């Protein structure tokens, strides 16, 4: 009972503090059976409807026990942008900017609340008729007000002031208004002395005169004769902070000095004073926690003593009595709106948010936390040339979305052979359900994926397996919850102010999201460098992938995409500064850019310093090829191709990343066909996925693959939670996707895994895949050939991306014996000019040195497109006399059985007739010159081939 009472008070107090008098309710403690009148003050919050001279409409729903997040409104009763008279609010006479709306006849009835549903809050956004203007919370969030249970225990609520800590001026008055849920004796105390009281009352009001500087304490006590409730608040007419520079070498953020003290430092130019409020001072204003100010006025700092090692503390900066923020360099934060949805198994015993003390995000300081004991202290990163990166989104990879479970999954990835994992953003982002590109705290680990030590254990476990860990970082922008935004924020326009030290008021390039960093400002450079250094040292990361690095520019292109894409010397210098910082902190660390810039610019970045790497998106070209269409030039994936000409192998080529439509989805949805050969059939689509991978991994240079590509993940990137596909305006692109580990149980998908595994093994084992002696015939033709010439071995990759048979020219670089990697077959090539005929979707990967069996084992044929549809066989093979050719027909059909030499020239027609379903055998005396021949069978539009080796 007492626990529920405490929570009830916290919920209402938290709502009041968050939004002040943005909205009020009548009754003050609304139950689900009550009619409730909402009063909205348009001047509060974002102020987006202040003085709008317009009709104001309500948009509303409820948060229930079935909601999964604060944004998960249920039973929404209004439609956005519709001027429905029944949703129009009533102006309050004589009070401009105030509007009322009545939820009638009751909350339960208005929202059509079903049985078994508990209403926890009503949710609101206010708008004009079209929705072009909005009234929301000060930080741009939705507005909530609690709904109380019918058996609400005795409760006390603070109606005024609208926050628990107030900084004001001498001579001003502070109205204190409180209310109780039932008659009680109510007292208001100032610094321990009673200044107002009432007996058997439901409310009490009193105005306090501010007549001195320094912090003062107010306590409200309500007693109904059976139990007592209290509320504390503090106020101050700010003292002038001490002017003093921080100790030499002190960093912004949080620095633990010894076992009992910490140094806090905030860069906040043009801010006159800052208090620290936190669990160490009960979130009350206290002049002992007024931060000192540097002589240049830019930096505020304080040293706090008397802390207890191993204890959790929370705190905020209370800037000029107007802005409460967590530390911009927080390593962990607590979020009152989203932490409640983090499972206990992901973060056991997550510290409680101090909802009865403050509002907004707070810094969580785990003071003197026990250090993690690293097991691997001598990890050697894979070379860039050998790098095979596996990009994954933890949310959509494993159901528990935590590092502990990801560690258990490393055996699967280790078997696959990848040597680097790239995690999509894991720093604190807005909400829980996200890709992570909406950062709020760039230095804090997002709790939705697990604890800091769990993440360190993951990095350690990867290093034990020789796998590097790369993290996607977002330094192009911040979102509105970031303290860097909130410190200098135009609430009415919902954007940074012009004097923001880090963020542009308006983005300087056309693809920005969130709020654009100005990387030409020293404050931004200092912030980014310090954050990167922290991640590299604290978590021993092996590198970063910089999201939208092309946006690190102040060349204001507006909507001019072409200008943004031009060579930008300033952008290059910015990126060099950050790369130098990474390499200074962790020599050999990877610097990977999502750049997609002009080749001259990317070449300069790739050849600078230790060599940056740049994403190479070939999704369109490869998918055109795997679907069986034109437009599949993949030559640019090689860094030495004339279209590139880079001196370093810095291009990370890929067929898929998190951002593109899945190749297998398009194969199945849009694949080409010819007769009975149909790319849209699953086995064929999977085989063509393997064909594409052969021609990705055969090209020298680092490579990347997206999670589950090795199993042929075929759900659209636009798949919605209900299973539908919606590609309108990005549709459900960011929504969670099905996690389909059951793919491993399907033989065709497991075969793709084995093919991928074999290709990665080749790439990471043999030096020939690093050679610069490369021949590429991979342009517009639907058949493709790659030759790699190394000191100890040569490689010939051959593939037919067409949906009809194709004859390949110059399939081998030299004559002699060649060994097919996947099947173990061998063939003797008389001349590199000999032609090879491949069936649709067929591929071969030859080496001139016989290799060990692939990790996944040999396969019978790389053209096993229809599960050996005709059961075609030849015996004996090799042969030096009579042979028997056998096959099976599932239905009556026209049959063509032909023999070709290795050049693709027809040698003999064996069968030309229509045959009924059944088993067949053809006996032939093959008096032919020694060599390799191709037996090809065509029936029902399907093609199967088999090699025949003639000896003498």
């Amino acid at each position: 009972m007492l626990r529920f009472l405490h929570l009830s008070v916290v919920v209402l107090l938290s709502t009041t503090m968050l939004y002040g008098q943005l909205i009020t309710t009548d009754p003050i403690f609304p139950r689900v059976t009550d009619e409730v009148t909402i009063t909205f003050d348009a001047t509060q919050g974002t102020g987006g409807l202040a003085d709008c001279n317009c009709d104001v409409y309500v948009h509303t729903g409820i948060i229930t026990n079935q909601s999964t997040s604060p944004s998960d409104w249920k039973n929404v009763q209004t439609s956005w942008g519709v001027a429905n008279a029944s949703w129009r609010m009533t102006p309050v006479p004589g009070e401009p900017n105030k509007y009322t709306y009545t939820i009638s006849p009751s909350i339960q009835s208005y929202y059509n609340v079903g049985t078994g549903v508990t209403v926890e809050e009503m949710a609101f956004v206010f708008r004009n008729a079209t929705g072009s203007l909005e009234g929301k919370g000060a930080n741009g969030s939705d507005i909530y007000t609690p709904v109380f249970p019918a058996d609400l225990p005795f409760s006390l609520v603070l109606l005024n002031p609208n926050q628990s800590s107030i900084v004001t001026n001498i001579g001003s008055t502070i109205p204190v208004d409180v209310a109780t849920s039932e008659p009680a004796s109510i007292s208001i105390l100032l610094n321990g002395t009673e200044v107002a009281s009432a007996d058997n009352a439901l409310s009490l009001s009193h105005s306090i005169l501010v007549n001195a500087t320094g912090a003062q304490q107010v306590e409200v006590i309500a007693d109904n004769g059976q139990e007592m409730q209290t509320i504390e608040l503090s106020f101050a007419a700010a003292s002038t902070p001490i002017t003093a520079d921080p100790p030499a070498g002190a960093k912004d953020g949080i620095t633990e000095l010894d076992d009992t003290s910490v140094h806090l430092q905030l860069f906040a130019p043009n801010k006159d004073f800052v208090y620290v409020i936190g669990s160490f001072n009960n979130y009350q204003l206290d002049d002992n926690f007024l931060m000192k100010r540097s002589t240049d006025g830019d930096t505020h700092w304080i040293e706090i003593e008397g802390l207890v090692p191993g204890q959790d503390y929370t705190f905020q900066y209370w800037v000029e009595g107007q802005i409460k923020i967590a530390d911009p360099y927080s390593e962990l934060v607590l979020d009152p709106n989203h932490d409640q949805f983090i499972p206990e198994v992901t973060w056991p015993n997550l510290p409680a948010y101090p909802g009865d003390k403050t509002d907004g995000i707070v810094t969580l300081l785990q003071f003197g936390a026990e250090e993690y004991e690293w097991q691997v202290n001598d990890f050697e990163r894979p070379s860039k040339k050998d790098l095979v990166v596996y990009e994954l989104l933890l949310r959509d990879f494993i159901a528990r979305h935590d590092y502990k479970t990801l560690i258990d999954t490393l055996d699967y990835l280790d078997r696959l052979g990848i040597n680097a994992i790239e995690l999509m953003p894991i720093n604190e982002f807005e909400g829980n359900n996200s890709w992570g590109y909406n950062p709020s705290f760039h230095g804090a680990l997002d709790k939705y994926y697990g604890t800091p030590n769990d993440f360190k254990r993951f990095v350690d476990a990867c290093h034990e397996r020789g796998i590097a860990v790369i993290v996607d970082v977002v330094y192009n922008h911040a979102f509105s919850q970031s303290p860097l935004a909130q410190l200098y924020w135009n609430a009415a326009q919902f954007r940074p102010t012009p004097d923001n030290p880090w963020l542009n008021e308006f983005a300087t390039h056309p693809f920005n999201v969130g709020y654009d960093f100005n990387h030409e400002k020293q404050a931004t450079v200092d912030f980014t460098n310090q954050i990167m250094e922290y991640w590299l040292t604290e978590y021993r990361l092996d590198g970063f992938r910089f999201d939208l690095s092309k946006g690190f520019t102040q060349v204001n292109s507006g909507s001019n995409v072409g200008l943004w894409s031009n060579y930008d010397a300033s952008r290059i210098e910015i990126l060099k500064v950050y790369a130098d910082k990474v390499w200074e902190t962790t020599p050999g660390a990877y610097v990977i850019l999502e750049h997609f810039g002009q080749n001259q610019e990317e070449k300069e970045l790739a050849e600078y310093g230790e060599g940056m790497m740049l994403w190479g998106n070939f999704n369109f070209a490869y998918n055109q090829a795997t679907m069986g269409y034109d437009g599949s030039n993949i030559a640019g994936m090689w860094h030495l191709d004339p279209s590139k000409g880079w001196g370093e192998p810095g291009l990370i080529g890929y067929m898929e990343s998190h951002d593109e439509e899945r190749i297998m989805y398009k194969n199945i949805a849009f694949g080409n066909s010819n007769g009975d050969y149909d790319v849209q059939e699953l086995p064929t689509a999977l085989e063509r996925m393997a064909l594409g991978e052969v021609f990705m991994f055969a090209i020298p240079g680092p490579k990347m693959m997206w999670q589950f590509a090795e199993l042929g993940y075929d759900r659209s990137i636009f798949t919605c939670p209900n299973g539908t596909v919606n590609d309108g305006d990005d549709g459900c692109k960011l929504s969670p996707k099905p996690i389909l580990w059951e793919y491993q149980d399907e033989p065709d998908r497991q075969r793709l895994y084995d093919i991928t595994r074999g290709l990665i093994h080749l790439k990471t084992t043999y030096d020939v895949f690093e050679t610069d002696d490369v021949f590429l015939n991979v342009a517009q033709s639907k058949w493709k050939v790659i030759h790699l010439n190394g000191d100890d071995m040569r490689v010939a990759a051959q593939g037919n991306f067409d949906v009809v048979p194709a004859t390949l020219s110059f399939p081998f670089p030299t004559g002699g014996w060649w060994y097919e990697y996947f099947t173990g077959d061998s063939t003797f090539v008389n001349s590199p000019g000999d032609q090879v005929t491949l069936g649709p979707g067929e591929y071969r990967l030859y080496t001139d040195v016989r290799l060990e069996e692939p990790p996944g084992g040999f396969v019978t044929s790389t053209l096993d497109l229809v599960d050996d549809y005709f059961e075609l066989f030849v015996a004996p093979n090799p042969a030096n006399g009579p042979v028997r050719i056998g096959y099976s027909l599932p239905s009556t059909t026209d049959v063509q059985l032909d023999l070709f030499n290795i050049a693709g020239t027809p040698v003999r027609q064996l069968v030309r007739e229509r045959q009924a379903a059944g088993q067949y055998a053809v006996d032939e005396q093959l008096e032919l010159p020694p060599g390799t021949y191709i037996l090809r069978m065509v029936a029902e539009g399907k093609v199967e081939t088999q090699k025949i080796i003639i000896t003498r």
Side-chain angles (χ1 to χ4, degrees), residues 207-261:
S207 292
I208 296 175
L209 176 66
V210 180
N211 55 15
T213 59
Q216 301 186 59
Q217 311 301 317
V218 177
E219 184 179 21
V220 182
I221 302 173
D223 187 346
N224 70 347
Q226 295 179 324
E227 55 186 300
M228 184 181 298
Q229 295 294 322
T230 63
I231 292 175
E232 295 177 343
L233 60 142
S234 58
F235 67 89
S239 304
T240 301
I242 296 171
T243 299
D245 287 325
K251 291 183 176 181
D252 291 338
I254 307 159
T255 304
E256 294 187 19
L257 299 175
D258 52 38
D259 288 345
T260 62
S261 62

Side-chain angles (χ1 to χ4, degrees), residues 55 105 151 163 177 224 227 241 244 309 336 404 470 670 672 704-705 726 733 782 796 817 852 886-887 891 914:
D55 288 334
D151 58 347
Q163 52 207 18
D177 299 314
N224 70 347
E227 55 186 300
K404 289 181 286 190
I470 301 163
F670 309 111
N672 200 357
M704 185 182 76
M705 55 191 302
N726 179 4
K733 183 176 181 180
K782 290 183 182 178
W817 281 100
E852 294 181 355
Y887 56 91
S891 61
R914 187 170 184 82

Side-chain angles (χ1 to χ4, degrees), residues 2-291:
L2 288 176
R3 180 176 180 273
F4 184 77
L5 171 63
H6 172 73
L7 289 175
S8 298
V9 175
V10 168
V11 168
L12 185 53
L13 182 57
S14 175
T15 302
T16 301
M17 288 192 290
L18 276 171
Y19 304 110
Q21 300 307 301
L22 177 57
I23 61 171
T24 58
T25 65
D26 182 15
I28 294 171
F29 298 92
R31 276 77 161 179
V32 74
T33 55
D34 289 339
E35 177 181 88
V36 182
T37 297
I38 304 294
T39 300
F40 164 59
D41 186 343
T43 64
Q44 301 298 307
T46 59
L49 290 166
D51 301 318
C52 72
N53 192 29
C54 64
D55 288 334
V56 173
Y57 293 79
V58 67
H59 183 58
T60 184
I62 52 177
I63 302 297
T64 75
N65 58 330
Q66 298 175 353
S67 297
T68 58
S69 71
S71 60
D72 187 16
W73 289 21
K74 304 295 186 184
N75 300 49
V76 176
Q77 297 300 305
T78 53
S79 298
W80 192 261
V82 177
N84 188 320
S86 63
W87 306 331
R88 187 170 57 233
M89 303 186 76
T90 302
V92 177
E95 296 191 64
N97 288 309
K98 284 194 175 181
Y99 304 84
T100 64
Y101 185 81
T102 300
I103 307 294
S104 178
S106 68
I107 294 173
Q108 185 171 35
S109 176
Y110 178 87
Y111 291 103
N112 297 319
V113 180
T115 57
V117 176
T118 301
V119 181
E120 298 175 350
E121 294 174 304
M122 292 182 287
F124 299 93
V125 174
F126 303 98
R127 61 173 176 85
N128 64 353
T130 63
S132 60
L133 300 176
E134 294 180 338
K136 304 183 79 172
N139 59 358
S141 60
D142 299 342
I143 304 165
Y144 307 91
T145 190
V147 176
F148 295 89
D151 58 347
L152 173 68
F154 175 53
S155 302
L156 169 68
V157 64
L158 179 69
L159 302 177
N160 264 319
N162 60 13
Q163 52 207 18
S164 61
S165 300
I166 305 153
V167 178
T168 186
N169 301 314
I170 291 179
S172 64
T173 58
I174 298 174
V176 179
D177 299 314
V178 297
T180 57
S181 58
E182 58 187 71
S185 296
I186 309 173
S187 301
I188 299 176
L189 288 75
L190 175 61
N191 299 322
T193 300
E194 184 179 281
V195 293
S197 64
D199 293 327
N200 196 32
L202 288 172
S203 63
L204 177 63
S205 298
H206 179 73
S207 292
I208 296 175
L209 176 66
V210 180
N211 55 15
T213 59
Q216 301 186 59
Q217 311 301 317
V218 177
E219 184 179 21
V220 182
I221 302 173
D223 187 346
N224 70 347
Q226 295 179 324
E227 55 186 300
M228 184 181 298
Q229 295 294 322
T230 63
I231 292 175
E232 295 177 343
L233 60 142
S234 58
F235 67 89
S239 304
T240 301
I242 296 171
T243 299
D245 287 325
K251 291 183 176 181
D252 291 338
I254 307 159
T255 304
E256 294 187 19
L257 299 175
D258 52 38
D259 288 345
T260 62
S261 62
V262 65
H263 176 94
L264 304 180
Q265 184 165 306
L266 176 68
F267 181 73
N270 302 317
K271 302 297 182 183
D272 292 333
F273 61 90
V274 179
Y275 281 93
V276 179
I277 56 174
S279 52
F280 32 69
N281 61 15
N282 203 31
Y283 280 88
Q284 300 298 299
L285 291 173
D286 185 331
D287 282 351
N288 292 320
F289 292 86
L290 179 63
M291 302 180 81

Side-chain angles (χ1 to χ4, degrees), residues 111-112 156 161 299 334 404-405 640 675 779 893 914 946:
Y111 291 103
N112 297 319
L156 169 68
T299 301
L334 295 181
K404 289 181 286 190
T405 309
L640 290 175
T893 183
R914 187 170 184 82
Q946 186 67 261

Side-chain angles (χ1 to χ4, degrees), residues 724-789:
T724 62
V725 176
N726 179 4
D727 60 0
D729 192 25
D730 275 356
C732 296
K733 183 176 181 180
L734 304 182
S735 300
K737 299 297 179 281
I739 301 171
L740 302 175
W741 284 101
E742 58 267 33
Y743 276 173
Q744 294 183 94
D745 300 328
E746 300 179 27
D748 288 330
R749 295 185 188 276
Q750 185 59 46
R751 173 178 166 176
L752 176 60
Y753 176 92
D754 288 337
I755 294 294
T756 309
R757 183 182 178 192
L759 289 166
I760 294 173
H761 173 73
L762 281 180
K763 175 171 179 54
T764 57
T765 303
Y766 297 101
D767 292 342
V768 66
F769 289 90
E770 297 180 1
T771 184
D772 289 343
D773 189 351
V774 177
F775 168 76
L776 298 179
N777 189 351
V778 293
Q780 297 300 325
S781 174
K782 290 183 182 178
W783 61 262
K784 301 182 188 298
V785 170
I786 296 175
H787 298 163
L788 307 179
N789 301 302

Side-chain angles (χ1 to χ4, degrees), residues 353-534:
Y353 177 82
D356 57 341
K357 304 296 183 184
T358 191
D359 62 279
I361 295 174
V362 301
T363 296
L364 172 61
L365 171 61
Q366 297 187 307
F367 185 74
E370 185 177 348
E371 292 289 331
Y372 174 77
E373 293 187 13
W374 292 92
Q375 302 302 303
V376 179
N377 296 296
D378 55 354
F379 178 65
E380 294 186 11
R381 296 176 189 87
S383 72
K384 290 188 298 182
K385 291 182 178 180
D386 288 337
L387 205 60
V388 179
V389 180
Y390 192 92
E391 187 192 18
L392 67 86
L393 171 59
L394 205 49
R395 182 198 71 183
D396 292 349
F397 190 61
I398 45 179
R400 275 198 11 192
H401 61 72
D402 59 35
Y403 301 116
K404 289 181 286 190
T405 309
L406 189 56
I407 291 171
D408 296 337
T409 314
L410 286 178
D411 286 345
Y412 168 87
L413 296 174
D414 197 13
R415 276 198 314 277
L416 183 62
I418 57 97
N419 54 24
I421 292 173
E422 181 180 305
L423 298 173
M424 287 172 67
I426 58 173
N427 63 276
E428 186 73 30
F429 45 78
E430 295 194 352
N432 293 327
N433 183 358
S434 171
W435 276 11
Y437 295 105
N438 50 341
S440 51
F441 289 83
H442 288 79
L445 192 71
D446 196 288
K447 302 181 297 299
Y448 190 64
Y449 297 141
T451 69
N453 278 352
D454 285 341
F455 181 49
K456 291 175 183 178
R457 275 188 283 271
F458 166 71
V459 174
D460 225 4
C462 287
H463 288 173
E464 286 176 345
R465 291 166 170 82
I467 299 173
V469 179
I470 301 163
V471 168
D472 201 334
V473 291
V474 187
Y475 300 138
N476 175 78
H477 56 265
F479 269 56
S480 61
Q481 284 185 355
S482 169
L484 304 184
Q486 293 185 7
L487 261 176
Y488 301 85
W489 187 248
N490 182 336
Q493 300 297 322
F494 208 71
R495 63 173 181 248
T497 56
D499 63 341
N500 190 298
W502 304 276
L503 302 174
N504 288 314
E505 184 181 13
F506 302 100
T508 58
H509 63 87
F511 289 97
N512 186 71
V513 294
Y515 301 98
D516 184 36
F517 272 113
N518 183 339
H519 286 281
E520 291 186 358
K521 288 188 175 181
Q522 191 60 44
T524 301
V525 174
D526 293 343
F527 174 79
T528 306
N529 279 340
Q530 186 172 328
I531 292 292
M532 291 192 303
E533 181 181 17
Y534 167 75

